[in-house]
Amino acid sequence: MNERDSEHMIAELQEKENYELTSDSTEADLILINTCSVRERPVHKLFSELGAFNKKKKENAKIGVCGCTASHLGKEIIKRAPYVDFVLGARNVSKITEVLHKPKAVEIDIDYDESQFAFSEFRGSQHKAYINISIGCDKSCTFCIVPKTRGDEISIPTDLILKECERATQAGVQEIFLLGQNVNNYGRRFSGEHEKVNFTELLRRISAIEKVKRIRFTSPHPFHMDDEFIDEFASNPKICKSMHMPLQSGSSEILKMMKRGYSKEWFLERAAKLRLMVPNVSISTDIIVAFPGESDKDFEETLDVMRQVRFEQVYSFKYSPRPLTEAAEMSNVVESELGSERLAYLQGLQNSITDEITAGYVGEIFEVMFEETREGGYIAGRSDNNVMIKVQADESLLGTFAKVKVTKNGRMAQIGEILA
Ligand code: SAH
C-alpha cells in the first residue's frame, strides 16, 4: 500500500509540478520519505535516514516525511528534525502538491476523505498495476496502529476502480493487484450513495474486462472469508490461486485478546476448505509471537496451525508495542528474550516446511508471467499460485507468459526452463 501511495505522489508531482524521478538523492530538489509505523524499528530508522539525507542533499532541496509515521508523529517530526519542510499523513496523499508550497506544513487529518480523488497516473511496473480499492481500516485489532494512522475504512467507488483497471490494461498491464487493509470487506461503506457491491462482485466485474489476465489482492481478512468469496476465488480462472490469510496467532484465547473476530477452529476450517476446493492454492500468512499474555501453550497452538495448514510462506514478527493501541496498555508482557526465542523457533519450523514444499516443485510445470531481470542473465516471474521462478532468457520476454518446468529448487526462487 505504501508503494502505491508513493506511485500516487510521484504521479501528482510529475503531472502538476514537472518533477522527474532521480536515483541520486544528492541531485534531488525534493526528497520524500514514505514511512511505515506498524512496528517500532522503522520509526527509529526514519530519524537516522533523515539525518543522512539532510547532510548530503543539494542546497535548498526540500525534504518531506509522508506515510503512517507522519500521521502519528505529526509536528513532532519537525521538532526533532527542524530541517524537514513538510509532514504528510497516509490519509492525505492527494495533498502532496499543496504541502509542497506550504513551509512546515503538517497535514495529517485521518478523517480526510480522498476515496474519490482522481490521482494522476504513474506505474512502477509495465506489467502489473497496484490499484487501491479502499482507504483506512475499520478493524480494532488491539496490536495494530493502522486504524489510527489511516483512519476509518471507506471503499473506493466501483466505477473508479473499473476505469483504473481499463486504463492500466489499455497501457499494456496484464496483472491487476488490488490493495486494501481488508480487501474482502469491500463495499461496507462508501462515502456517497452507492450501489451495493461487495468484494466478490468487484472481482467478477474486474475479471469481465477482457484485457485483464490475472487478478491478485492483499490483504483479505480471515473473518470475511465467507463461502461466496471462496467459491469465486476457486472458480474464477483470472484470480491467481494464492491467498494471504493473516493468522496472527493460533491460540483462540490470544485471538480474542487481539480482537481478531475468529477462532483457531474457524481459521483451520477456512484453510482446509480452500485447500480442498483449490488443490494447487498457495497460502501465506502473518504471525505475531509474544503478544501480551502468550503462554507456552498459546505459542504451541500457533505452531500447531502451521503444521496443519503448511503455509507456503510466513511473515513472522515479534510483537512490538505501538502507541495509541489497546495492547500497549496490557501489563502481562512476554519477556523480549523469550519472544526472540519463539520467533527463531517458529522461523526454523517454517524453513523446514518451505524446504519440503519447494523440493516438491522440481519437475513440476508452472505458467509464469515474467516481470523482472535477475543477475546472471535470468528473468523472473511468478506462477499463478505465487511460486517465484527464474529462467535463463532474454529480457524481451518480460511481460509475456510461458510454461516453465522447475529444474532446481531454492527457498526464495526456483530455477526453471521454458518449455518449447
Ligand atoms: N491489515 C493488514 C495488516 C497490515 S500490517 C492485514 O491484516 O494483513 C502487516 C502485519 O504486521 C500484520 O498482519 C501483523 O502481523 C504485523 N503487525 C501489525 N502490528 C504489529 C505489532 N504491533 N507488532 C508486531 N507485528 C505487527
Short mmCIF file of all heavy atoms in Angstrom, two decimals, residues 133-196:
data_model
loop_
_atom_site.label_atom_id
_atom_site.label_comp_id
_atom_site.label_asym_id
_atom_site.label_seq_id
_atom_site.Cartn_x
_atom_site.Cartn_y
_atom_site.Cartn_z
N ILE A 133 -8.43 -0.29 -3.49
CA ILE A 133 -9.90 -0.40 -3.53
C ILE A 133 -10.55 0.17 -2.28
O ILE A 133 -11.76 0.30 -2.20
CB ILE A 133 -10.37 -1.86 -3.78
CG1 ILE A 133 -10.00 -2.79 -2.63
CG2 ILE A 133 -9.80 -2.39 -5.09
CD1 ILE A 133 -10.75 -4.11 -2.70
N SER A 134 -9.73 0.48 -1.28
CA SER A 134 -10.29 1.14 -0.10
C SER A 134 -9.19 1.94 0.58
O SER A 134 -8.00 1.71 0.33
CB SER A 134 -10.87 0.11 0.87
OG SER A 134 -9.87 -0.78 1.29
N ILE A 135 -9.61 2.86 1.43
CA ILE A 135 -8.64 3.57 2.27
C ILE A 135 -9.00 3.25 3.73
O ILE A 135 -10.14 2.87 4.01
CB ILE A 135 -8.63 5.10 2.00
CG1 ILE A 135 -10.02 5.70 2.27
CG2 ILE A 135 -8.23 5.39 0.57
CD1 ILE A 135 -10.05 7.22 2.15
N GLY A 136 -8.05 3.39 4.62
CA GLY A 136 -8.33 3.22 6.05
C GLY A 136 -8.61 1.79 6.46
O GLY A 136 -8.45 0.84 5.66
N CYS A 137 -8.99 1.62 7.72
CA CYS A 137 -9.25 0.28 8.26
C CYS A 137 -10.26 0.39 9.41
O CYS A 137 -10.09 1.20 10.32
CB CYS A 137 -7.96 -0.34 8.79
SG CYS A 137 -8.21 -2.00 9.46
N ASP A 138 -11.31 -0.44 9.34
CA ASP A 138 -12.37 -0.41 10.36
C ASP A 138 -12.18 -1.40 11.49
O ASP A 138 -13.02 -1.50 12.37
CB ASP A 138 -13.72 -0.72 9.71
CG ASP A 138 -14.47 0.55 9.37
OD1 ASP A 138 -13.91 1.64 9.62
OD2 ASP A 138 -15.59 0.45 8.87
N LYS A 139 -11.10 -2.18 11.44
CA LYS A 139 -10.91 -3.21 12.47
C LYS A 139 -10.36 -2.56 13.74
O LYS A 139 -9.89 -1.40 13.71
CB LYS A 139 -9.90 -4.25 11.97
CG LYS A 139 -10.38 -4.99 10.75
CD LYS A 139 -11.42 -6.01 11.13
CE LYS A 139 -12.02 -6.66 9.91
NZ LYS A 139 -13.39 -7.08 10.12
N SER A 140 -10.42 -3.32 14.82
CA SER A 140 -9.84 -2.75 16.04
C SER A 140 -8.88 -3.74 16.67
O SER A 140 -8.90 -3.96 17.88
CB SER A 140 -10.94 -2.34 17.01
OG SER A 140 -11.96 -3.31 16.99
N CYS A 141 -8.05 -4.38 15.84
CA CYS A 141 -7.03 -5.30 16.34
C CYS A 141 -6.21 -4.56 17.39
O CYS A 141 -5.73 -3.45 17.13
CB CYS A 141 -6.14 -5.80 15.21
SG CYS A 141 -7.06 -6.57 13.87
N THR A 142 -6.06 -5.18 18.55
CA THR A 142 -5.51 -4.42 19.68
C THR A 142 -4.01 -4.14 19.56
O THR A 142 -3.49 -3.31 20.28
CB THR A 142 -5.78 -5.16 21.01
OG1 THR A 142 -5.27 -6.50 20.90
CG2 THR A 142 -7.27 -5.21 21.32
N PHE A 143 -3.33 -4.86 18.65
CA PHE A 143 -1.89 -4.63 18.47
C PHE A 143 -1.57 -3.58 17.43
O PHE A 143 -0.44 -3.15 17.31
CB PHE A 143 -1.19 -5.95 18.07
CG PHE A 143 -1.82 -6.61 16.86
CD1 PHE A 143 -1.51 -6.19 15.58
CD2 PHE A 143 -2.73 -7.65 17.00
CE1 PHE A 143 -2.09 -6.78 14.47
CE2 PHE A 143 -3.32 -8.26 15.90
CZ PHE A 143 -2.99 -7.82 14.62
N CYS A 144 -2.59 -3.17 16.66
CA CYS A 144 -2.29 -2.51 15.38
C CYS A 144 -2.55 -1.00 15.40
O CYS A 144 -3.61 -0.53 15.81
CB CYS A 144 -3.13 -3.14 14.28
SG CYS A 144 -2.61 -2.61 12.64
N ILE A 145 -1.60 -0.26 14.89
CA ILE A 145 -1.68 1.21 14.86
C ILE A 145 -2.40 1.72 13.60
O ILE A 145 -2.85 2.87 13.55
CB ILE A 145 -0.26 1.82 14.98
CG1 ILE A 145 -0.32 3.31 15.29
CG2 ILE A 145 0.57 1.56 13.74
CD1 ILE A 145 1.03 3.95 15.58
N VAL A 146 -2.54 0.83 12.59
CA VAL A 146 -3.02 1.30 11.28
C VAL A 146 -4.32 2.12 11.33
O VAL A 146 -4.40 3.19 10.72
CB VAL A 146 -3.11 0.12 10.27
CG1 VAL A 146 -3.83 0.54 8.99
CG2 VAL A 146 -1.71 -0.39 9.92
N PRO A 147 -5.38 1.68 12.07
CA PRO A 147 -6.60 2.50 12.08
C PRO A 147 -6.37 3.91 12.61
O PRO A 147 -7.12 4.83 12.27
CB PRO A 147 -7.54 1.72 13.01
CG PRO A 147 -7.03 0.32 12.99
CD PRO A 147 -5.54 0.44 12.86
N LYS A 148 -5.33 4.08 13.43
CA LYS A 148 -5.05 5.40 13.99
C LYS A 148 -4.23 6.26 13.03
O LYS A 148 -4.11 7.47 13.21
CB LYS A 148 -4.29 5.27 15.32
CG LYS A 148 -5.06 4.53 16.39
CD LYS A 148 -6.25 5.36 16.87
CE LYS A 148 -6.98 4.79 18.06
NZ LYS A 148 -7.42 3.39 17.93
N THR A 149 -3.62 5.64 12.03
CA THR A 149 -2.83 6.43 11.08
C THR A 149 -3.52 6.57 9.73
O THR A 149 -3.26 7.50 8.98
CB THR A 149 -1.44 5.79 10.84
OG1 THR A 149 -1.63 4.48 10.29
CG2 THR A 149 -0.65 5.68 12.12
N ARG A 150 -4.40 5.62 9.42
CA ARG A 150 -5.08 5.66 8.12
C ARG A 150 -6.57 5.95 8.25
O ARG A 150 -7.27 6.07 7.24
CB ARG A 150 -4.86 4.35 7.34
CG ARG A 150 -3.43 4.19 6.86
CD ARG A 150 -3.27 2.99 5.93
NE ARG A 150 -1.93 2.89 5.39
CZ ARG A 150 -1.53 3.45 4.26
NH1 ARG A 150 -2.37 4.14 3.52
NH2 ARG A 150 -0.29 3.32 3.84
N GLY A 151 -7.10 6.00 9.47
CA GLY A 151 -8.49 6.39 9.69
C GLY A 151 -9.50 5.30 9.35
O GLY A 151 -9.13 4.14 9.12
N ASP A 152 -10.79 5.67 9.35
CA ASP A 152 -11.86 4.72 9.09
C ASP A 152 -11.80 4.20 7.65
O ASP A 152 -11.28 4.88 6.76
CB ASP A 152 -13.23 5.39 9.29
CG ASP A 152 -13.49 5.66 10.76
OD1 ASP A 152 -12.76 5.12 11.60
OD2 ASP A 152 -14.43 6.44 11.04
N GLU A 153 -12.41 3.05 7.50
CA GLU A 153 -12.38 2.41 6.17
C GLU A 153 -13.46 2.98 5.25
O GLU A 153 -14.62 3.06 5.63
CB GLU A 153 -12.63 0.91 6.39
CG GLU A 153 -12.36 0.04 5.21
CD GLU A 153 -12.38 -1.44 5.61
OE1 GLU A 153 -11.71 -1.81 6.62
OE2 GLU A 153 -13.06 -2.21 4.93
N ILE A 154 -13.05 3.40 4.06
CA ILE A 154 -14.01 3.83 3.04
C ILE A 154 -13.64 3.14 1.73
O ILE A 154 -12.48 3.15 1.32
CB ILE A 154 -13.98 5.36 2.81
CG1 ILE A 154 -14.16 6.12 4.13
CG2 ILE A 154 -15.04 5.78 1.80
CD1 ILE A 154 -14.14 7.64 3.98
N SER A 155 -14.63 2.53 1.09
CA SER A 155 -14.37 1.85 -0.18
C SER A 155 -14.31 2.88 -1.30
O SER A 155 -15.08 3.85 -1.32
CB SER A 155 -15.47 0.84 -0.47
OG SER A 155 -15.49 -0.14 0.55
N ILE A 156 -13.47 2.63 -2.25
CA ILE A 156 -13.37 3.50 -3.42
C ILE A 156 -14.49 3.09 -4.39
O ILE A 156 -14.75 1.89 -4.56
CB ILE A 156 -11.96 3.37 -4.05
CG1 ILE A 156 -10.96 3.99 -3.07
CG2 ILE A 156 -11.89 4.02 -5.43
CD1 ILE A 156 -9.52 3.80 -3.37
N PRO A 157 -15.20 4.08 -4.99
CA PRO A 157 -16.35 3.72 -5.85
C PRO A 157 -15.95 2.72 -6.94
O PRO A 157 -14.88 2.83 -7.55
CB PRO A 157 -16.75 5.07 -6.46
CG PRO A 157 -16.27 6.09 -5.47
CD PRO A 157 -15.02 5.52 -4.87
N THR A 158 -16.84 1.77 -7.17
CA THR A 158 -16.56 0.68 -8.12
C THR A 158 -16.20 1.21 -9.51
O THR A 158 -15.28 0.70 -10.14
CB THR A 158 -17.81 -0.24 -8.23
OG1 THR A 158 -18.26 -0.51 -6.90
CG2 THR A 158 -17.49 -1.53 -8.92
N ASP A 159 -16.94 2.24 -9.97
CA ASP A 159 -16.66 2.69 -11.34
C ASP A 159 -15.26 3.29 -11.47
O ASP A 159 -14.61 3.13 -12.50
CB ASP A 159 -17.75 3.67 -11.84
CG ASP A 159 -17.92 4.85 -10.93
OD1 ASP A 159 -17.70 4.69 -9.70
OD2 ASP A 159 -18.26 5.95 -11.41
N LEU A 160 -14.77 3.93 -10.40
CA LEU A 160 -13.40 4.46 -10.46
C LEU A 160 -12.39 3.31 -10.56
O LEU A 160 -11.40 3.39 -11.30
CB LEU A 160 -13.08 5.28 -9.20
CG LEU A 160 -13.69 6.67 -9.08
CD1 LEU A 160 -13.11 7.40 -7.87
CD2 LEU A 160 -13.44 7.49 -10.34
N ILE A 161 -12.63 2.26 -9.78
CA ILE A 161 -11.71 1.10 -9.81
C ILE A 161 -11.72 0.46 -11.20
O ILE A 161 -10.67 0.17 -11.78
CB ILE A 161 -12.12 0.07 -8.74
CG1 ILE A 161 -11.99 0.68 -7.35
CG2 ILE A 161 -11.27 -1.20 -8.85
CD1 ILE A 161 -12.57 -0.18 -6.21
N LEU A 162 -12.92 0.28 -11.75
CA LEU A 162 -13.01 -0.38 -13.07
C LEU A 162 -12.34 0.47 -14.15
O LEU A 162 -11.63 -0.04 -15.01
CB LEU A 162 -14.48 -0.63 -13.43
CG LEU A 162 -15.17 -1.69 -12.55
CD1 LEU A 162 -16.66 -1.79 -12.88
CD2 LEU A 162 -14.51 -3.07 -12.71
N LYS A 163 -12.53 1.80 -14.03
CA LYS A 163 -11.88 2.68 -15.02
C LYS A 163 -10.37 2.57 -14.92
O LYS A 163 -9.66 2.56 -15.92
CB LYS A 163 -12.30 4.15 -14.77
CG LYS A 163 -13.43 4.57 -15.67
CD LYS A 163 -13.68 6.06 -15.56
CE LYS A 163 -15.17 6.31 -15.63
NZ LYS A 163 -15.66 7.32 -14.71
N GLU A 164 -9.88 2.49 -13.68
CA GLU A 164 -8.43 2.38 -13.49
C GLU A 164 -7.90 1.07 -14.08
O GLU A 164 -6.83 1.03 -14.68
CB GLU A 164 -8.08 2.50 -12.00
CG GLU A 164 -6.77 3.20 -11.79
CD GLU A 164 -6.41 3.40 -10.31
OE1 GLU A 164 -7.34 3.60 -9.52
OE2 GLU A 164 -5.22 3.34 -10.00
N CYS A 165 -8.67 0.01 -13.89
CA CYS A 165 -8.28 -1.29 -14.46
C CYS A 165 -8.25 -1.21 -15.99
O CYS A 165 -7.34 -1.72 -16.64
CB CYS A 165 -9.25 -2.40 -14.05
SG CYS A 165 -9.22 -2.76 -12.30
N GLU A 166 -9.26 -0.56 -16.55
CA GLU A 166 -9.33 -0.40 -18.02
C GLU A 166 -8.10 0.35 -18.53
O GLU A 166 -7.44 -0.08 -19.46
CB GLU A 166 -10.58 0.42 -18.42
CG GLU A 166 -11.91 -0.23 -18.15
CD GLU A 166 -12.39 -1.08 -19.33
OE1 GLU A 166 -11.62 -1.23 -20.30
OE2 GLU A 166 -13.53 -1.60 -19.25
N ARG A 167 -7.84 1.50 -17.86
CA ARG A 167 -6.70 2.33 -18.30
C ARG A 167 -5.40 1.56 -18.22
O ARG A 167 -4.58 1.60 -19.13
CB ARG A 167 -6.60 3.58 -17.41
CG ARG A 167 -7.30 4.81 -17.96
CD ARG A 167 -6.69 6.09 -17.39
NE ARG A 167 -6.55 6.05 -15.95
CZ ARG A 167 -7.48 6.45 -15.08
NH1 ARG A 167 -8.62 6.92 -15.53
NH2 ARG A 167 -7.26 6.38 -13.79
N ALA A 168 -5.20 0.87 -17.11
CA ALA A 168 -3.93 0.16 -16.92
C ALA A 168 -3.76 -0.93 -17.98
O ALA A 168 -2.69 -1.07 -18.57
CB ALA A 168 -3.89 -0.46 -15.52
N THR A 169 -4.83 -1.67 -18.25
CA THR A 169 -4.69 -2.76 -19.22
C THR A 169 -4.55 -2.22 -20.64
O THR A 169 -3.84 -2.79 -21.46
CB THR A 169 -5.85 -3.77 -19.14
OG1 THR A 169 -7.09 -3.07 -19.15
CG2 THR A 169 -5.76 -4.60 -17.87
N GLN A 170 -5.20 -1.08 -20.92
CA GLN A 170 -5.00 -0.45 -22.25
C GLN A 170 -3.53 -0.11 -22.44
O GLN A 170 -3.00 -0.16 -23.53
CB GLN A 170 -5.82 0.87 -22.38
CG GLN A 170 -7.31 0.73 -22.38
CD GLN A 170 -7.84 -0.04 -23.58
OE1 GLN A 170 -7.13 -0.22 -24.56
NE2 GLN A 170 -9.07 -0.52 -23.49
N ALA A 171 -2.86 0.23 -21.33
CA ALA A 171 -1.45 0.63 -21.40
C ALA A 171 -0.52 -0.59 -21.37
O ALA A 171 0.69 -0.45 -21.28
CB ALA A 171 -1.12 1.59 -20.25
N GLY A 172 -1.08 -1.79 -21.39
CA GLY A 172 -0.23 -2.98 -21.50
C GLY A 172 -0.13 -3.83 -20.24
O GLY A 172 0.51 -4.87 -20.26
N VAL A 173 -0.76 -3.37 -19.16
CA VAL A 173 -0.70 -4.15 -17.91
C VAL A 173 -1.51 -5.44 -18.06
O VAL A 173 -2.58 -5.44 -18.66
CB VAL A 173 -1.26 -3.28 -16.75
CG1 VAL A 173 -1.67 -4.13 -15.57
CG2 VAL A 173 -0.23 -2.23 -16.34
N GLN A 174 -0.98 -6.54 -17.51
CA GLN A 174 -1.69 -7.82 -17.59
C GLN A 174 -2.28 -8.23 -16.24
O GLN A 174 -3.24 -8.97 -16.18
CB GLN A 174 -0.72 -8.95 -17.97
CG GLN A 174 0.39 -8.51 -18.84
CD GLN A 174 0.26 -9.19 -20.19
OE1 GLN A 174 -0.82 -9.64 -20.53
NE2 GLN A 174 1.34 -9.24 -20.92
N GLU A 175 -1.59 -7.78 -15.18
CA GLU A 175 -1.97 -8.26 -13.85
C GLU A 175 -2.45 -7.09 -12.99
O GLU A 175 -1.76 -6.09 -12.85
CB GLU A 175 -0.76 -8.92 -13.20
CG GLU A 175 -1.05 -9.49 -11.84
CD GLU A 175 0.15 -10.24 -11.26
OE1 GLU A 175 0.64 -11.19 -11.92
OE2 GLU A 175 0.61 -9.87 -10.18
N ILE A 176 -3.64 -7.24 -12.42
CA ILE A 176 -4.20 -6.23 -11.53
C ILE A 176 -4.01 -6.70 -10.10
O ILE A 176 -4.38 -7.82 -9.76
CB ILE A 176 -5.72 -6.05 -11.81
CG1 ILE A 176 -5.96 -5.57 -13.24
CG2 ILE A 176 -6.35 -5.12 -10.79
CD1 ILE A 176 -5.49 -4.19 -13.55
N PHE A 177 -3.43 -5.85 -9.27
CA PHE A 177 -3.15 -6.22 -7.88
C PHE A 177 -3.95 -5.28 -6.98
O PHE A 177 -3.60 -4.11 -6.83
CB PHE A 177 -1.65 -6.10 -7.61
CG PHE A 177 -1.17 -6.95 -6.46
CD1 PHE A 177 -0.09 -7.82 -6.62
CD2 PHE A 177 -1.78 -6.87 -5.22
CE1 PHE A 177 0.36 -8.60 -5.58
CE2 PHE A 177 -1.34 -7.65 -4.17
CZ PHE A 177 -0.26 -8.52 -4.35
N LEU A 178 -5.05 -5.78 -6.41
CA LEU A 178 -5.95 -4.93 -5.62
C LEU A 178 -5.43 -4.78 -4.20
O LEU A 178 -5.01 -5.76 -3.57
CB LEU A 178 -7.35 -5.54 -5.59
CG LEU A 178 -7.95 -5.82 -6.97
CD1 LEU A 178 -9.27 -6.57 -6.83
CD2 LEU A 178 -8.15 -4.52 -7.75
N LEU A 179 -5.50 -3.55 -3.69
CA LEU A 179 -4.94 -3.27 -2.37
C LEU A 179 -5.94 -2.66 -1.41
O LEU A 179 -6.74 -1.80 -1.79
CB LEU A 179 -3.79 -2.25 -2.50
CG LEU A 179 -2.59 -2.63 -3.33
CD1 LEU A 179 -1.66 -1.43 -3.44
CD2 LEU A 179 -1.87 -3.81 -2.71
N GLY A 180 -5.88 -3.12 -0.17
CA GLY A 180 -6.67 -2.52 0.89
C GLY A 180 -6.30 -3.20 2.19
O GLY A 180 -5.72 -4.29 2.17
N GLN A 181 -6.62 -2.61 3.31
CA GLN A 181 -6.29 -3.24 4.59
C GLN A 181 -7.12 -4.49 4.83
O GLN A 181 -6.67 -5.42 5.48
CB GLN A 181 -6.46 -2.24 5.75
CG GLN A 181 -5.46 -1.10 5.74
CD GLN A 181 -4.02 -1.58 5.91
OE1 GLN A 181 -3.75 -2.58 6.53
NE2 GLN A 181 -3.09 -0.83 5.34
N ASN A 182 -8.36 -4.48 4.34
CA ASN A 182 -9.25 -5.66 4.45
C ASN A 182 -10.01 -5.78 3.14
O ASN A 182 -11.18 -5.43 3.08
CB ASN A 182 -10.28 -5.47 5.57
CG ASN A 182 -9.62 -5.35 6.91
OD1 ASN A 182 -8.97 -6.27 7.38
ND2 ASN A 182 -9.78 -4.19 7.52
N VAL A 183 -9.35 -6.25 2.11
CA VAL A 183 -9.97 -6.17 0.78
C VAL A 183 -11.34 -6.84 0.73
O VAL A 183 -12.25 -6.34 0.06
CB VAL A 183 -9.07 -6.74 -0.35
CG1 VAL A 183 -7.98 -5.78 -0.74
CG2 VAL A 183 -8.55 -8.10 -0.01
N ASN A 184 -11.48 -7.96 1.45
CA ASN A 184 -12.76 -8.68 1.33
C ASN A 184 -13.85 -8.10 2.23
O ASN A 184 -14.90 -8.70 2.39
CB ASN A 184 -12.59 -10.20 1.54
CG ASN A 184 -11.82 -10.53 2.80
OD1 ASN A 184 -11.16 -9.69 3.39
ND2 ASN A 184 -11.91 -11.77 3.23
N ASN A 185 -13.59 -6.93 2.75
CA ASN A 185 -14.63 -6.16 3.44
C ASN A 185 -15.12 -5.04 2.52
O ASN A 185 -15.86 -4.13 2.93
CB ASN A 185 -14.02 -5.55 4.72
CG ASN A 185 -15.07 -5.09 5.71
OD1 ASN A 185 -16.17 -5.60 5.74
ND2 ASN A 185 -14.73 -4.09 6.51
N TYR A 186 -14.69 -5.12 1.25
CA TYR A 186 -15.04 -4.07 0.27
C TYR A 186 -16.56 -3.88 0.22
O TYR A 186 -17.32 -4.86 0.26
CB TYR A 186 -14.53 -4.45 -1.13
CG TYR A 186 -14.87 -3.41 -2.17
CD1 TYR A 186 -14.12 -2.25 -2.29
CD2 TYR A 186 -15.99 -3.56 -3.00
CE1 TYR A 186 -14.45 -1.28 -3.23
CE2 TYR A 186 -16.32 -2.60 -3.94
CZ TYR A 186 -15.55 -1.45 -4.04
OH TYR A 186 -15.88 -0.48 -4.94
N GLY A 187 -16.96 -2.61 0.13
CA GLY A 187 -18.38 -2.32 -0.05
C GLY A 187 -19.12 -2.05 1.24
O GLY A 187 -20.30 -1.73 1.24
N ARG A 188 -18.42 -2.19 2.37
CA ARG A 188 -19.08 -1.97 3.65
C ARG A 188 -19.53 -0.52 3.79
O ARG A 188 -20.58 -0.22 4.32
CB ARG A 188 -18.10 -2.32 4.76
CG ARG A 188 -18.60 -2.11 6.16
CD ARG A 188 -17.46 -2.40 7.12
NE ARG A 188 -17.57 -1.57 8.31
CZ ARG A 188 -17.96 -2.04 9.49
NH1 ARG A 188 -18.27 -3.29 9.64
NH2 ARG A 188 -18.04 -1.23 10.53
N ARG A 189 -18.70 0.40 3.33
CA ARG A 189 -19.07 1.82 3.43
C ARG A 189 -18.47 2.59 2.26
O ARG A 189 -17.26 2.50 2.00
CB ARG A 189 -18.52 2.41 4.73
CG ARG A 189 -18.96 3.85 4.97
CD ARG A 189 -18.23 4.52 6.13
NE ARG A 189 -18.33 3.80 7.37
CZ ARG A 189 -17.27 3.36 8.06
NH1 ARG A 189 -16.06 3.58 7.63
NH2 ARG A 189 -17.43 2.72 9.19
N PHE A 190 -19.32 3.33 1.55
CA PHE A 190 -18.83 4.26 0.52
C PHE A 190 -19.08 5.66 1.04
O PHE A 190 -19.90 5.86 1.93
CB PHE A 190 -19.58 4.05 -0.80
CG PHE A 190 -19.30 2.71 -1.45
CD1 PHE A 190 -20.17 1.64 -1.26
CD2 PHE A 190 -18.18 2.53 -2.24
CE1 PHE A 190 -19.92 0.40 -1.84
CE2 PHE A 190 -17.92 1.29 -2.84
CZ PHE A 190 -18.79 0.23 -2.64
N SER A 191 -18.38 6.66 0.46
CA SER A 191 -18.58 7.98 1.06
C SER A 191 -19.85 8.65 0.54
O SER A 191 -20.36 9.55 1.17
CB SER A 191 -17.36 8.86 0.89
OG SER A 191 -17.16 9.15 -0.44
N GLY A 192 -20.40 8.20 -0.56
CA GLY A 192 -21.68 8.75 -1.03
C GLY A 192 -22.66 7.63 -1.30
O GLY A 192 -22.40 6.48 -0.94
N GLU A 193 -23.78 7.96 -1.94
CA GLU A 193 -24.73 6.93 -2.37
C GLU A 193 -24.01 5.99 -3.31
O GLU A 193 -23.31 6.43 -4.21
CB GLU A 193 -25.89 7.60 -3.15
CG GLU A 193 -26.94 8.23 -2.28
CD GLU A 193 -27.84 7.18 -1.64
OE1 GLU A 193 -28.48 6.43 -2.39
OE2 GLU A 193 -27.87 7.13 -0.39
N HIS A 194 -24.22 4.70 -3.11
CA HIS A 194 -23.52 3.76 -3.99
C HIS A 194 -24.25 2.44 -4.06
O HIS A 194 -24.74 1.95 -3.05
CB HIS A 194 -22.08 3.55 -3.49
CG HIS A 194 -21.17 2.91 -4.49
ND1 HIS A 194 -21.19 1.57 -4.78
CD2 HIS A 194 -20.22 3.43 -5.30
CE1 HIS A 194 -20.28 1.30 -5.71
NE2 HIS A 194 -19.68 2.42 -6.04
N GLU A 195 -24.29 1.89 -5.26
CA GLU A 195 -24.87 0.56 -5.45
C GLU A 195 -24.13 -0.43 -4.55
O GLU A 195 -22.93 -0.31 -4.33
CB GLU A 195 -24.63 0.20 -6.93
CG GLU A 195 -24.96 -1.18 -7.33
CD GLU A 195 -24.30 -1.52 -8.69
OE1 GLU A 195 -23.51 -0.71 -9.21
OE2 GLU A 195 -24.59 -2.61 -9.18
N LYS A 196 -24.87 -1.43 -4.02
CA LYS A 196 -24.25 -2.42 -3.13
C LYS A 196 -23.35 -3.36 -3.94
O LYS A 196 -23.82 -4.17 -4.72
CB LYS A 196 -25.37 -3.21 -2.43
CG LYS A 196 -24.92 -3.97 -1.24
CD LYS A 196 -25.51 -3.43 0.06
CE LYS A 196 -24.75 -3.93 1.27
NZ LYS A 196 -23.53 -3.20 1.59
#
